[in-house]
Amino acid sequence: MPRGYNSVRAPRTSIARVSPSQSKVVELTRLRAGEIVAGVGGVLLLVFMFAFEWYGLSPKLARGQAGLPGATAWSGWQELPVVRWLLLVSAVSGILLAYFQATRAAPALPVALSVIVTVLGVLSTIALIVRVWIAPPALPAIGSLERLTGAYLGLLATLALACGGFASMRQEGGTDPAAVGEIETLTI
């Protein structure tokens, strides 16, 4: 008989087998405030980036363009050709943080993702502060474009990503020694 077998039992294994249906069970009770904020911020950033107008011509210039071909307002995806990729990765990572926290029993992946979401959220927030407040996009003949509601909502969503990732990271800490109080000792 091969090693590891006996006549009554199955082969010995040290790895527990889990069916694929058991490993992806979503438990919303595992989500904490940080993951909820990061996940909602990621979803909202995607919505704001694609569905809302971020930049546009001033109303006076837009009236002058009436009847002419071409857009008078642009979404964040259309107007931010470099920053859009950072925003997309940040939004997806925030959603993944919430998903993995709800589906994984082990904390390793959510902990790593909370650090990644925090860094991406901060970078996205800084990039949008520059593109929304400091140096908005401009057209050569017209000058700077007007900032519309979507740009400010996108900035708030990236701020939510950064804060949610940071809150998730802060909640991973151990027990506060001050909260434990005095440790009981035994004399022998």
Side-chain angles (χ1 to χ4, degrees):
M1 239 183 232
R3 285 178 54 170
Y5 285 88
N6 67 27
S7 60
V8 179
R9 295 185 183 174
R12 293 183 214 160
T13 60
S14 61
I15 299 173
R17 297 182 191 261
V18 178
S19 70
S21 63
Q22 291 175 339
S23 66
K24 300 285 188 223
V25 175
V26 175
E27 294 180 33
L28 296 179
T29 57
R30 290 180 45 81
L31 291 177
R32 299 168 300 188
E35 289 92 16
I36 293 171
V37 170
V40 168
V43 169
L44 289 177
L45 181 58
L46 288 176
V47 169
F48 297 152
M49 196 164 57
F50 290 105
F52 282 65
E53 295 175 339
W54 286 39
Y55 300 101
L57 300 175
S58 67
K60 181 179 177 181
L61 289 173
R63 278 194 300 275
Q65 294 289 327
L68 296 176
T72 59
W74 299 271
S75 70
W77 183 259
Q78 295 167 325
E79 193 54 39
L80 301 171
V82 176
V83 176
R84 67 177 161 198
W85 297 109
L86 175 63
L87 297 178
L88 182 66
V89 169
S90 299
V92 170
S93 67
I95 295 167
L96 287 176
L97 172 62
Y99 173 76
F100 285 130
Q101 180 64 33
T103 59
R104 303 284 186 214
L109 196 53
V111 169
L113 267 175
S114 66
V115 174
I116 292 169
V117 169
T118 303
V119 171
L120 288 174
V122 168
L123 290 175
S124 297
T125 302
I126 291 170
L128 282 187
I129 286 173
V130 169
R131 295 302 284 170
V132 171
W133 280 336
I134 299 172
L139 296 176
I142 298 172
S144 136
L145 296 173
E146 289 224 358
R147 297 172 280 285
L148 302 177
T149 308
Y152 296 109
L153 292 175
L155 181 59
L156 287 176
T158 59
L159 194 57
L161 276 170
C163 291
F166 184 72
S168 175
M169 198 168 42
R170 293 284 298 159
Q171 291 173 343
E172 295 298 336
T175 306
D176 182 19
V180 174
E182 191 174 331
I183 299 173
E184 181 182 347
T185 58
L186 300 174
T187 56
I188 299 181

